[in-house]
């Protein structure tokens, strides 16, 4: 279902944002974002130019295959690359404990924080996921120390059950970032939160 409908991934324009697929021209933006220690505080390390170039290539290959992979957020007026926010189907070499799943993920440049940009973009993609793709549940996960990201999950109406907390399978068990929290959102809850 998701694999066929996801082809319908639109380009969306709001008053201040453009939400769209990845393009080659996003290389400089993703390189700068992933090299910023403030952005990468809750990831194992900042990323080199080559690592970000590989990430862009992987995201573009994935969006060719599935329709999208954490779409780009662009400033509508200036055209500046602000980061990414949106739906993704995780494809780690080792599955997540809650696979198969559709996640919503985000990473913005610091200039775009504190303006509700992630929240605005995420709401649009959640609505698209639940209403157009007819997904029953969308999840989000982060390290237990990434409170800014968790605050966003809570603002979106996502809920955490500590029984779902997990050690990220791509990190060693003694890595300081290994412990992760999982937030879930069902279509029914999204609809009731959106109406309230
Ligand atoms: C996680 C991240 C996307 C959150 O960004 P954010 O800007 O805090 O999130 P939101 O879009 O929800 O914005 C909310 C903030 O904007 C403020 N705001 C200003 N104008 C607003 C508006 N029009 N609408 C809503 N909120 C607005 C809110 O008051 C809130 O401020 P506060 O954090 O001081 O309470 C961002 O910090 C980030 O990219 N971090 C680095 C990467 C990362 O950790 N990614 C997650 C890994 S899982």
């Amino acid at each position: 279902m998701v694999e066929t409908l996801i082809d319908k991934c639109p380009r969306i324009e709001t008053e201040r944002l453009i939400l769209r697929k990845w393009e080659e021209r996003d290389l400089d933006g993703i390189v700068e974002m992933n090299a910023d220690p403030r952005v990468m505080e809750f990831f194992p390390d900042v990323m080199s130019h080559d690592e970000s170039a590989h990430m862009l290539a992987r995201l573009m290959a994935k969006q060719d295959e599935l329709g999208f992979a954490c779409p780009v957020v662009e400033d509508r007026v200036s055209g500046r690359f602000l980061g990414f926010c949106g739906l993704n189907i995780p494809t780690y070499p080792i599955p997540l404990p809650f696979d198969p799943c559709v996640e919503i993920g985000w990473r913005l440049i610091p200039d775009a924080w504190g303006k509700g940009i992630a929240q605005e973009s995420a709401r649009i993609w959640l609505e698209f996921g639940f209403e157009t793709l007819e997904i029953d549940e969308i999840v989000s996960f982060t390290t237990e120390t990434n409170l800014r990201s968790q605050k966003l999950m809570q603002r979106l109406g996502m809920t955490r059950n500590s029984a779902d907390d997990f050690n990220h399978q791509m990190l060693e068990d003694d890595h300081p970032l290994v412990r992760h929290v999982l937030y879930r959102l069902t279509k029914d809850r999204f609809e009731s939160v959106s109406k309230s």
Side-chain angles (χ1 to χ4, degrees):
M1 172 73 99
V2 169
E3 285 73 7
T4 50
L5 286 173
I6 219 159
D7 285 340
K8 296 183 179 155
C9 173
R11 172 191 164 95
I12 293 172
E13 295 198 17
T14 73
E15 208 170 303
R16 59 180 176 170
L17 304 174
I18 296 178
L19 312 180
R20 61 161 174 83
K21 291 189 180 189
W22 290 93
E23 298 174 20
E24 296 286 358
R25 67 182 164 106
D26 297 316
L27 180 63
D28 289 349
I30 193 173
V31 166
E32 192 182 334
M33 177 174 75
N34 289 341
D36 189 323
R38 295 167 295 176
V39 174
M40 302 306 281
E41 180 180 355
F42 300 104
F43 294 87
D45 209 347
V46 293
M47 292 170 72
S48 67
H49 183 284
D50 283 1
E51 286 168 333
S52 287
H54 278 121
M55 181 175 165
L56 176 60
R58 278 199 314 275
L59 288 164
M60 290 184 69
K62 201 170 185 181
Q63 84 186 357
D64 281 350
E65 188 192 340
L66 297 176
F68 55 80
C70 286
V72 169
V73 183
E74 183 180 295
D75 185 297
R76 185 172 166 182
V77 176
S78 66
R80 186 176 181 193
F81 174 92
L82 300 180
F84 65 76
C85 178
L87 302 179
N88 180 45
I89 296 177
T91 45
Y92 291 106
I94 309 168
L96 290 156
F98 40 89
D99 270 346
C101 68
V102 178
E103 68 157 330
I104 185 151
W106 36 68
R107 189 181 300 178
L108 299 181
I109 59 169
D111 281 355
W113 299 358
K115 298 174 181 167
I117 289 175
Q119 203 178 144
E120 178 183 337
S121 311
R123 284 224 168 89
I124 289 169
W125 289 122
L126 287 171
E127 188 178 336
F128 174 72
F130 288 127
E131 289 180 9
T132 304
L133 301 185
E134 297 179 355
I135 298 166
D136 292 329
E137 182 184 68
I138 295 174
V139 302
S140 195
F141 51 91
T142 189
T143 62
E144 64 180 7
T145 45
N146 191 345
L147 301 184
R148 206 179 288 121
S149 190
Q150 289 181 52
K151 236 167 100 179
L152 172 53
M153 294 170 195
Q154 291 158 14
R155 278 188 207 109
L156 294 168
M158 306 187 95
T159 54
R160 171 188 173 193
N161 178 343
S162 56
D164 284 329
D165 291 0
F166 65 105
N167 283 0
H168 201 293
Q169 75 284 6
M170 299 306 285
L171 296 172
E172 295 295 331
D173 276 346
D174 59 354
H175 193 285
L177 297 174
V178 73
R179 201 68 188 148
H180 275 60
V181 296
L182 176 73
Y183 277 73
R184 298 178 184 266
L185 184 61
T186 60
K187 183 177 178 171
D188 288 348
R189 179 160 164 81
F190 177 69
E191 281 168 3
S192 71
V193 169
S194 307
K195 278 181 206 138
S196 62

